[in-house]
Amino acid sequence: MKIGNNEYFEILVTDSKGNLLASITDENIIEEKDCRIVCVPIES
């Protein structure tokens, strides 16, 4: 996925202790329990 001028394979969301909350790739989004990830599309 492209963000700004950079290409990324994965975005990892962690808490302050380094525990994984979410993994976001072009193929899927994996969420931990009690977390909510929302993808907001670009309006055309």
Side-chain angles (χ1 to χ4, degrees), residues 8-31:
Y8 297 94
F9 170 75
E10 181 178 25
I11 297 172
L12 299 175
V13 181
T14 62
D15 64 13
S16 62
K17 296 180 182 179
N19 297 311
L20 182 65
L21 300 177
S23 168
I24 304 167
T25 67
D26 284 340
E27 284 78 39
N28 60 32
I29 297 173
I30 299 170
E31 305 168 12

Side-chain angles (χ1 to χ4, degrees), residues 26-43:
D26 284 340
E27 284 78 39
N28 60 32
I29 297 173
I30 299 170
E31 305 168 12
E32 289 298 314
K33 183 177 141 187
D34 300 325
C35 291
R36 181 172 176 241
I37 306 300
V38 177
C39 295
V40 180
I42 297 173
E43 294 183 36

